[in-house]
Amino acid sequence: QVQLVESGGGLVQLGGSLRLSCVTSGFYLDTYKVAWFRQAPGKAREGVSCISADGTTKYAPSVRGRFTISRDISKKAVYLQINASKPEDTAVYSCAAGYELFRMCRLNQDYVYWGQGTQVAVAE
């Protein structure tokens, strides 16, 4: 069965860095699209970044230049490196996945499998 488990969240000082992990099972990373979403208090869930089956990446404008998505196929893991953190980065971060061989991933919510999320808090 497909499973996604996030970890790495916590409290970080303004401008600090954090790396989130999404450990996957039940599928091959090079046949799926995987994305990171976040939901801040009182706000709707938004797509942050995604990585396609071929390794192509995409970022939301609000995090471009600060966040980096990557994967380690041998470890079946997808990561989100957060740098130069801002208070508005405070949110529950979730990873999501869906089977997609050929098309570029998108930051919509068209993902079948979802993790439970990990909390990130940026101190002001």
Side-chain angles (χ1 to χ4, degrees), residues 2-52:
V2 171
Q3 289 188 316
L4 307 169
V5 181
E6 303 95 335
S7 64
L11 178 64
V12 63
Q13 297 299 307
L14 178 67
S17 298
L18 204 64
R19 189 180 77 157
L20 308 182
S21 297
C22 174
V23 177
T24 74
S25 61
F27 66 98
Y28 295 105
L29 277 182
D30 59 359
T31 65
Y32 273 57
K33 60 184 180 183
V34 180
W36 284 97
F37 292 82
R38 68 184 182 186
Q39 187 166 25
K43 296 186 177 181
R45 185 167 57 199
E46 64 173 338
V48 174
S49 182
C50 67
I51 184 165
S52 302

Side-chain angles (χ1 to χ4, degrees), residues 1-3 5 19 23 41 43 45 53 57 60-61 66 70 84 87 91 95 98 108 116-117 119:
Q1 299 293 330
V2 171
Q3 289 188 316
V5 181
R19 189 180 77 157
V23 177
K43 296 186 177 181
R45 185 167 57 199
T57 59
R66 301 187 300 114
S70 61
C95 61
N108 55 20
Q116 291 298 114
Q119 175 70 244

Side-chain angles (χ1 to χ4, degrees), residues 19-21 36 68-72 75 77-81:
R19 189 180 77 157
L20 308 182
S21 297
W36 284 97
T68 303
I69 190 170
S70 61
R71 68 184 181 183
D72 186 330
K75 295 181 179 179
V78 177
Y79 307 102
L80 186 68
Q81 178 69 40

